[in-house]
Amino acid sequence: MSQARYVLSIDQGTTSTRCIVFDDKAQQISLARREFAQHYPDDGWVEHDPEDIWRDVVDTVREALGEAGLTDGTGVAAIGITNQRETVVLWERETGKPVYRAIVWQDRRTAALCAKLKQEGAEDLVRARTGLLLDPYFSATKLAWLLDNLPDVRERAERGELAFGTIDSFLLWRLTGGKVHATDATNASRTLLFDIHRQVWDEDLLKLFRIPAAVLPEVRDNSTVFGESDPALFGRAIPIAGMAGDQQAAVIGQACFAPGMAKSTYGTGCFMLLNTGEKPVSSDNRMLTTVAYRLGGRTVYAEEGAIFVAGAAIKWLRDGVGVITHASQTDDMATRVPDSHGVYMVPAFVGLGAPHWDPEARALICGLTFSATAAHLARAALESVAFQTLDLAEAMQRDGAGQLKTIRIDGGMSANDWFCQFLADMLQAEVERPACLETTSMGAAFLAGLAVGVWKDLDEVAATWKRGAVFEPRMDGEQRARMIAGWKDALKRTLPAK
């Protein structure tokens, strides 16, 4: 074991924090995981306690190192970090203490501000510089809310006393004992403050959102030594050498390095990214243009479709209405009934993302009759995720991407064979599931390992990717068309008339 070189990956997600140790063959050696509390203080508000996140990161790292027999950190070449994107933390530089809970990417409290800025004609500037749309999903309006609604916070920020970051930046600060305030190009590209073409914080956007430059982190490549962990944390100082937002980390983990390759991750939400190479593609169908990764100063872009609720719909069935007791039950329940019995779920619990971008939309279940059962609800929830993915694929196709032939999938829902088959049927595309589903964590590990020489280049990384299963479309065309028509009707009922 001592001959191998290990990379430790911190994967800080929306509902859980996990840490995985990989060896230099990209094999998983150990895994530790913790779920943490979600806070919903008002309608459409979603918050996390950054101290909960920090505690879980330290605990899971120590547990994973211990399970791998690396208690003192010896043999660990580097740490990689991947994180829930767009979630905002503002903390004191002197103490490292957050001034408020983290405002989560799902949070919709700034919908009115986004609508006001749209009415004032600001969205064209935002789209041209950032590739994004004016939506509460992104970081800038969340940060503006903190500056405008907490006593003395704006004044303290302008004096340089406070630091802003997405979760990656906050964890880097804490891990390095407050020595490094930085982020990476992928997380920066999700803030509405970063010019993805010039790769700099944009002065016009800072002025638009009234954000003082003094709070911003330095932006670096995804694979570089950001700093070292405080030796008191894990036994010795370990280089922190890779960082990326979770969806971009999954692009790396799925080895989608060639233009035209696509991946879709099914976690709390669903995020589909299509590699477009070194040229950013501007969408005419309300898809996002984003940084896929930046290595050695070279930026590769992606077109992205963001679905806010995927696995979260299954979690609601479990925790909200008690229809199931374990998420894994949905596979069995979906196969227990021959079809969804005309039941459709549009899971707009926190509004709808791409390609609709309606923060005011709310979830709907339609087609219920007295003969509908819990199994039909579970099946409708799973089907809704595939239907939403189809909406993204069709929007990308209208943007000129062409018919999707193959897509690589990952995330918790991809373990469900029934869902994977239904997805292949809806997309009319080959669905590839990798042998290791922890591709987000693996992507962070690859980025860290590349920076310190564990892996030589992207070709060597791509050679580690292994297909676990493949699902080919097999549904009858008439049945598929009928089901899609039902979905589009349900969408119309959810979206207000324009």
Side-chain angles (χ1 to χ4, degrees), residues 157-219:
E158 290 172 348
R159 290 197 300 267
E161 296 174 11
L162 304 180
F164 152 74
T166 41
I167 295 293
D168 60 302
S169 190
F170 174 68
L171 293 181
L172 178 65
W173 176 278
R174 284 286 182 93
L175 287 166
T176 61
K179 292 179 180 176
V180 183
H181 184 210
T183 188
D184 69 89
T186 65
N187 277 296
S189 77
R190 310 297 295 188
T191 60
L192 292 180
L193 302 172
F194 190 69
D195 187 324
I196 63 171
H197 310 285
R198 296 186 297 133
Q199 293 288 298
V200 296
W201 297 117
D202 187 275
E203 290 184 3
D204 293 331
L205 295 173
L206 292 175
K207 184 178 179 181
L208 176 68
F209 294 105
R210 300 177 61 239
I211 306 297
V215 301
L216 299 174
E218 179 188 349
V219 182

Side-chain angles (χ1 to χ4, degrees), residues 113-128:
L113 174 57
C114 290
K116 176 176 177 289
L117 290 171
K118 281 183 187 178
Q119 289 170 358
E120 293 171 354
E123 191 163 66
D124 286 346
L125 170 67
V126 168
R127 287 201 66 188

Side-chain angles (χ1 to χ4, degrees), residues 4-138:
R5 302 171 72 192
Y6 300 91
V7 180
L8 184 144
S9 178
I10 296 167
D11 183 352
Q12 203 299 299
T14 307
T15 59
S16 68
T17 299
R18 65 184 68 202
C19 178
I20 301 179
V21 174
F22 293 96
D23 67 15
D24 54 6
K25 302 294 190 296
Q27 299 298 306
Q28 181 178 311
I29 303 302
S30 64
L31 181 151
R33 181 178 181 273
R34 300 276 192 285
E35 284 197 17
F36 61 93
Q38 311 290 303
H39 301 278
Y40 307 103
D42 205 343
D43 179 36
W45 292 30
V46 189
E47 297 176 354
H48 294 158
D49 186 337
E51 298 295 353
D52 287 350
I53 290 172
W54 171 243
R55 178 201 64 227
D56 289 351
V57 164
V58 174
D59 288 349
T60 53
V61 168
R62 289 174 176 167
E63 183 180 333
L65 288 174
E67 186 183 324
L70 305 166
T71 307
D72 62 357
T74 300
V76 179
I79 294 173
I81 299 172
T82 184
N83 57 288
Q84 51 168 314
R85 303 175 305 172
E86 297 95 14
T87 296
V88 167
V89 187
L90 190 62
W91 67 92
E92 297 174 344
R93 290 185 183 274
E94 186 174 345
T95 66
K97 181 181 177 183
V99 302
Y100 189 80
R101 285 177 180 160
I103 302 181
V104 180
W105 60 271
Q106 297 164 312
D107 190 281
R108 316 308 285 168
R109 76 185 67 186
T110 61
L113 174 57
C114 290
K116 176 176 177 289
L117 290 171
K118 281 183 187 178
Q119 289 170 358
E120 293 171 354
E123 191 163 66
D124 286 346
L125 170 67
V126 168
R127 287 201 66 188
R129 302 282 173 88
T130 71
L132 309 176
L133 300 167
L134 273 171
D135 190 87
Y137 170 36
F138 304 108

Side-chain angles (χ1 to χ4, degrees), residues 456-477:
K456 182 177 63 176
D457 52 29
L458 293 182
D459 288 340
E460 194 166 285
V461 166
T464 69
W465 191 88
K466 294 181 177 63
R467 187 163 75 175
V470 62
F471 300 86
E472 303 275 359
R474 64 187 187 201
M475 182 180 286
D476 170 77

Side-chain angles (χ1 to χ4, degrees), residues 320-440:
V321 291
V323 168
I324 58 174
T325 54
H326 300 286
S328 58
Q329 287 178 273
T330 55
D331 191 359
D332 175 62
M333 293 175 81
T335 56
R336 195 185 305 163
V337 290
D339 54 42
S340 63
H341 200 57
V343 178
Y344 286 86
M345 174 189 286
V346 182
F349 294 91
V350 289
L352 284 173
H356 315 288
W357 296 107
D358 190 333
E360 303 301 333
R362 287 297 177 263
L364 172 145
I365 299 172
C366 62
L368 291 172
T369 63
F370 282 127
S371 54
T373 66
H376 294 116
L377 280 178
R379 183 160 174 152
L382 291 174
E383 288 181 352
S384 76
V385 180
F387 288 134
Q388 290 179 98
T389 308
L390 174 64
D391 290 346
L392 301 182
E394 288 180 341
M396 288 182 178
Q397 193 173 346
R398 290 193 297 272
D399 279 335
Q403 172 66 40
L404 192 68
K405 293 183 173 61
T406 302
I407 187 169
R408 293 182 173 181
I409 65 168
D410 53 78
M413 288 183 70
S414 64
N416 183 323
D417 285 357
W418 184 89
F419 168 74
C420 293
Q421 183 57 55
F422 188 76
L423 180 65
D425 290 334
M426 290 301 104
L427 295 179
Q428 286 291 286
E430 184 179 78
V431 170
E432 290 186 323
R433 184 172 67 195
C436 176
L437 294 181
E438 300 288 355
T439 54
T440 301

